[in-house]
Amino acid sequence: MPHERPEPQFKTIIEPFRIKSVEPIRYTTRAQRARALEAAGYNLFRLHASDVLIDLLTDSGTGAMSSEQWAAMMRGDESYAGSRSFDRFEAAVKGITGLKHIFPTHQGRAAERILCGVALKRGDVVPNNTHFDTTRANIEAVGAEALDLPIAEARQPEALHPFKGNLDVPALRALLTSRREQVPLVMLTVTNNSGGGQPVSLANVREVSAVCREFGVPLFLDCCRYAENAYFIKLREPGYAERTPREIAQEMFSYVDGATMSAKKDGMANIGGFLAMNDDVMAQAAQNLLILGEGFPTYGGLAGYDLDALAVGFQEALEEPYLQYRLRSIEYLGERLLQANIPIIQPTGGHAVYIDAGKLLPHLPAREYPAWALSCVLYLEGGVRSVEIGSVMFGRQPDGSERPAPLELVRLAFPRRTYTQSHVDYLAEVLLHVGSLRERVRGLRIVEAPPLLRHFTARLEPVEQSLLA
Ligand SMILES: *Cc1c(COP(=O)(O)O)cnc(C)c1O
């Protein structure tokens, strides 16, 4: 045997793929963007995507599929019932979750709707670390209460906690001690999307599960970002450094009784989702609702080829080089912003960087929507589309009054496998430039808005002549 030299160690983390198909992005001038913004009523949701250079509106369904996924789509079996595509999809989901009944749905909220339809009634309470907005809406739609029980650190933007997505276990125990009959299920969202994409530790999943078992309440995982969460556990939780993301995900699912999934996230596809559970009686009821609203149980609102793309995607999401590249891209942008004193939610989460616009623009009161203003200026100056998570999105109360959101945030969400290092460098440059203009940024007022979910369609205008003084 010749003497083997040690493997050289290189520090640069590269995109673990090469590009096989490209989609041009279109440059616009600042003047063109100013016109587009005005025509869109200063609402980035109303822009034409072709007027956007880098689109970080959401990481949901916006990623790139792999050549293996496209190849799998050609194998799609479009049989109405019992297709081979379903068998592959089901095997992939069972291989990771170990759950017994797997129902495909067209996206995450369809799974939530079915779960709420079979498990909840008026007056019930469903705790979660933090409910995602569609989950909350589905729970409230059946007259139940969606209760957020995050740990205290989750509410502090700069608190450095490795698992800021954790659920407050003593608070859960207190709730179950006093109101057990009103709690038909407990949910846990990994990663905690609405809490900044922060991970949940396996220790927390285990503790939440133990409390649920003690009180006899089923635990459901909102597992949209199960792979990112598993990788955070590998990086941060003692005892897991040598385990694969797949093994960690399997352990995570071993503590739960069911799951809802938007496969537009860690399913690595453009559409899809599932509802999974162990309980046979609940599964029978869920199957009935699935047929009513989605389709036959072996396709559930998806084409056979979608199921095949997902069967591959669920595995690819757990590949370490991919997860390392993804989390590192986001962390890298966060580091560049912190160096330039642009305040963000720390530590950076799995799918997005959240800028604390309230802190960056202290001269703007909440009624002038600082985070909305910042997102408009990011587009105006650099062609970057982000999303406001602040008082336009959350400020209107059910009785029609206004109340400032707890935080004024701008979220930059990264589509999966879509942008490269140089895109991230460009983003950092745009953000630093906008940061240097911070004192000149002016607020907006709402001109017209619907009563519900107004951020999608509202029209606004600058309170002064323009967005920048
Ligand atoms: C996206 C998302 C959902 C809803 O999924 P859709 O596919 O958009 O319907 C539910 N929960 C979380 C945590 C999400 O991120």
Side-chain angles (χ1 to χ4, degrees):
M1 274 271 286
H3 178 67
E4 287 243 5
R5 288 176 182 277
E7 185 71 24
Q9 297 294 320
F10 300 114
K11 288 205 195 66
T12 311
I13 296 168
I14 59 171
E15 286 83 16
F17 48 80
R18 55 182 181 172
I19 295 166
K20 194 177 198 109
S21 174
V22 297
E23 181 183 7
I25 50 180
R26 193 170 77 89
Y27 289 93
T28 48
T29 63
R30 191 180 186 284
Q32 286 171 327
R33 292 192 295 274
R35 279 197 297 278
L37 203 49
E38 203 186 328
Y42 293 87
N43 185 339
L44 303 181
F45 281 104
R46 301 177 69 116
L47 287 174
H48 293 284
S50 57
D51 290 331
V52 176
L53 187 66
I54 299 203
D55 204 344
L56 305 183
L57 187 68
T58 175
D59 67 322
S60 180
T62 50
M65 290 210 297
S66 67
S67 49
E68 288 302 319
Q69 285 180 291
W70 285 109
M73 286 182 78
M74 285 305 296
R75 277 193 297 276
D77 172 0
E78 305 303 338
S79 304
Y80 192 93
S83 73
R84 285 161 293 179
S85 298
F86 175 74
D87 295 341
R88 290 186 281 261
F89 171 88
E90 187 189 40
V93 177
K94 281 193 173 169
I96 297 165
T97 67
L99 293 164
K100 187 171 171 195
H101 302 281
I102 314 291
F103 301 113
T105 60
H106 81 277
Q107 61 184 84
R109 66 197 70 185
E112 292 164 356
R113 182 155 190 238
I114 294 169
L115 179 62
C116 292
V118 300
L120 308 189
K121 61 180 186 323
R122 183 164 294 281
D124 283 346
V125 183
V126 182
N128 198 331
N129 43 359
T130 310
H131 288 279
F132 182 66
D133 53 12
T134 59
T135 322
R136 170 174 293 279
N138 271 299
I139 290 168
E140 290 173 354
V142 297
E145 181 194 346
L147 181 66
D148 292 338
L149 297 178
I151 56 169
E153 288 87 345
R155 301 192 200 272
Q156 301 153 13
E158 282 156 74
L160 287 171
H161 185 293
F163 293 103
K164 242 174 150 171
N166 283 357
L167 185 141
D168 184 341
V169 177
L172 176 66
R173 174 177 289 283
L175 175 77
L176 290 175
T177 304
S178 61
R179 300 164 72 184
R180 164 66 189 94
E181 328 67 61
Q182 280 170 280
V183 184
L185 59 97
V186 172
M187 293 187 78
L188 192 58
T189 304
V190 297
T191 56
N192 188 0
N193 181 357
S194 306
Q198 301 290 333
V200 176
S201 68
L202 261 182
N204 192 248
V205 182
R206 218 179 284 125
E207 281 176 52
V208 170
S209 171
V211 172
C212 288
R213 298 224 160 131
E214 183 186 326
F215 285 88
V217 189
L219 173 61
F220 273 70
L221 213 54
D222 177 340
C223 65
C224 297
R225 298 182 179 79
Y226 70 96
E228 290 169 12
N229 202 90
Y231 196 59
F232 275 120
I233 288 170
K234 181 178 171 84
L235 296 178
R236 297 181 184 171
E237 191 157 350
Y240 288 93
E242 305 304 323
R243 305 272 295 276
T244 65
R246 186 182 170 85
E247 288 165 344
I248 295 170
Q250 286 166 331
E251 182 177 343
M252 191 160 72
F253 282 105
S254 74
Y255 300 120
V256 304
D257 306 290
T260 58
M261 169 81 182
S262 168
K264 301 171 74 171
K265 322 294 176 30
D266 280 350
M268 311 296 276
N270 304 116
I271 196 74
F274 65 74
L275 172 62
M277 61 187 69
N278 283 332
D279 187 86
D280 296 333
V281 177
M282 193 193 269
Q284 187 57 54
Q287 178 163 303
N288 295 341
L289 279 191
L290 182 82
I291 294 171
L292 195 64
E294 293 284 292
F296 190 75
T298 61
Y299 73 83
L302 294 170
Y305 55 66
D306 293 322
L307 295 168
D308 266 305
L310 287 169
V312 177
F314 290 131
Q315 320 290 351
E316 290 182 348
L318 288 166
E319 285 170 8
E320 262 192 80
Y322 155 72
L323 286 165
Q324 183 188 38
Y325 138 80
R326 176 160 179 78
L327 268 52
R328 179 60 196 145
S329 310
I330 291 159
E331 186 183 51
Y332 169 77
L333 180 62
E335 285 168 8
R336 296 281 307 267
L337 300 186
L338 286 173
Q339 280 159 14
N341 286 322
I342 296 183
I344 60 168
I345 294 196
Q346 295 186 64
T348 48
H351 67 289
V353 171
Y354 293 72
I355 303 174
D356 187 344
K359 205 150 179 235
L360 184 73
L361 308 173
H363 57 287
L364 293 186
R367 64 172 184 282
E368 292 183 12
Y369 308 121
W372 194 274
L374 181 65
S375 68
C376 286
V377 174
L378 281 176
Y379 172 70
L380 180 66
E381 295 295 311
V384 174
R385 177 152 68 172
S386 53
V387 70
E388 185 241 32
I389 302 189
S391 293
V392 176
M393 193 180 268
F394 294 126
R396 194 191 145 99
Q397 303 307 305
D399 65 5
S401 65
E402 288 275 326
R403 186 168 59 206
L407 291 171
E408 300 291 340
L409 303 175
V410 170
R411 185 186 74 179
L412 304 159
F414 282 56
R416 291 169 181 74
R417 302 187 292 205
T418 303
Y419 294 117
T420 65
Q421 169 84 38
S422 61
H423 292 112
V424 180
D425 281 325
Y426 171 84
L427 269 171
E429 200 182 337
V430 171
L431 286 157
L432 266 51
H433 164 71
V434 169
S436 74
L437 305 175
R438 63 177 82 178
E439 276 135 36
R440 291 175 49 204
V441 177
R442 293 296 175 260
L444 299 112
R445 69 169 80 87
I446 292 177
V447 181
E448 62 178 68
L452 287 176
L453 297 171
R454 64 180 179 184
H455 54 286
F456 288 127
T457 55
R459 300 188 82 89
L460 291 90
E461 67 184 16
V463 288
E464 295 180 13
Q465 261 109 354
S466 65
L467 281 173
L468 287 173

